[in-house]
Amino acid sequence: MVGENTDHAALIEKLGVDIDPELLVLALTHRSYAYENGGIPNNERLEFLGDSILGQAVTVKLFRENPDLDEGELAKRRASLVSSVALAEVARGIGLGQYLRLGRGENQSGGRDKASILADTVEALIGAAYLDAGGEEATALVLRLVDPLLADPDRFGAAMDPKTSLQEAAAHRGAGLPVYTVTNSGPDHSKTFHATVSVGDIVTATGEGTSKKQAEMAAALNAWTELTRRRARASRG
């Protein structure tokens, strides 16, 4: 079982903004850790704040850089960039999972790579940056975080619509349609959905989320990523 990395210097360097150490720790504290440690504060309030800043920064960027797109297409692109699937990709790109403060159960069940937890923590970090460094720095952080997705059209497309991207990748390989199975766990007010997707006998991948759709999207993106990696290895060989 991998534990928490408490050396935050590398994370701060990747974020490119100084955040007060106590505020940074709060942003990294998941509710499962808080519950197991006497109900200490967790990152959900920061996540609430960061979600608003994220949405505004992405909206302004898309509006300014895409003068020919109508409202519907702008809304679609914004939704893709602020989705849990896309934010989890951003989080993995900076190695965020290793810094999470998780309860024992979440840690043992793979919480450090769970899309919903990673996405929520990205939003909490944005909120922390706003409180400590101000609106301009928080907006700059958002743009740095989403730029890697925008710079990679294939991955951006996959993050925007992973189920369609996986279906197209499967067709390219001559495989049948992806097949999804979904289960859920937890109480009614806080369910976690677990999806598994199979592309013939070529690849099987899993994903989790707070809804059936989110879990299927996460699984689809993981499967698309694996198919893309295999195609790249085959072309090199």
Side-chain angles (χ1 to χ4, degrees):
M1 180 178 65
V2 178
E4 171 198 355
N5 183 348
T6 58
D7 181 3
H8 298 145
L11 176 60
I12 287 293
E13 184 176 351
K14 290 176 182 177
L15 294 174
V17 57
D18 286 329
I19 300 175
D20 175 79
E22 289 188 12
L23 197 57
L24 178 63
V25 168
L26 177 60
L28 297 169
T29 301
H30 185 254
R31 66 176 178 268
S32 62
Y33 182 95
Y35 175 78
E36 289 183 8
N37 288 271
I40 63 174
N42 61 49
N43 64 6
E44 291 181 347
R45 280 175 53 84
L46 288 175
E47 173 199 337
F48 170 79
L49 176 61
D51 175 67
S52 178
I53 297 159
L54 170 71
Q56 181 184 41
V58 168
T59 298
V60 172
K61 178 180 179 66
L62 291 174
F63 180 85
R64 287 177 172 169
E65 295 185 359
N66 299 277
D68 297 328
L69 295 183
D70 62 22
E71 182 267 348
E73 184 61 28
L74 287 171
K76 181 180 178 182
R77 293 194 180 195
R78 178 180 61 191
S80 73
L81 282 172
V82 303
S83 71
S84 291
V85 173
L87 292 180
E89 282 291 287
V90 166
R92 293 182 184 110
I94 61 173
L96 183 57
Q98 64 184 299
Y99 300 102
L100 301 178
R101 303 178 89 201
L102 299 176
R104 288 186 298 275
E106 280 290 358
N107 194 34
Q108 291 172 342
S109 64
R112 294 188 185 280
D113 194 51
K114 189 178 292 185
S116 57
I117 293 178
L118 289 171
D120 290 347
T121 307
V122 169
E123 292 178 338
L125 287 169
I126 294 167
Y130 177 87
L131 291 178
D132 201 39
E136 288 188 10
E137 286 291 336
T139 296
L141 171 60
V142 170
L143 300 183
R144 285 195 298 275
L145 290 174
V146 301
D147 269 349
L149 274 183
L150 292 172
D152 185 345
D154 288 340
R155 179 153 291 282
F156 176 66
M160 183 163 63
D161 191 354
K163 295 182 73 173
T164 298
S165 294
L166 178 60
Q167 185 173 325
E168 291 172 349
H172 181 75
R173 294 287 297 266
L177 291 175
V179 177
Y180 295 86
T181 57
V182 181
T183 60
N184 63 75
S185 60
D188 287 342
H189 67 278
S190 183
K191 283 188 179 298
T192 298
F193 291 80
H194 315 268
T196 300
V197 60
S198 299
V199 179
D201 58 358
I202 300 174
V203 66
T204 299
T206 61
E208 293 186 343
T210 55
S211 68
K212 178 176 181 286
K213 178 181 178 181
Q214 190 181 93
E216 288 182 342
M217 288 173 62
L221 184 59
N222 288 335
W224 178 88
T225 299
E226 180 58 27
L227 283 177
T228 302
R229 286 173 181 162
R230 292 187 187 185
R231 189 169 66 233
R233 286 198 299 265
S235 64
R236 289 194 301 267

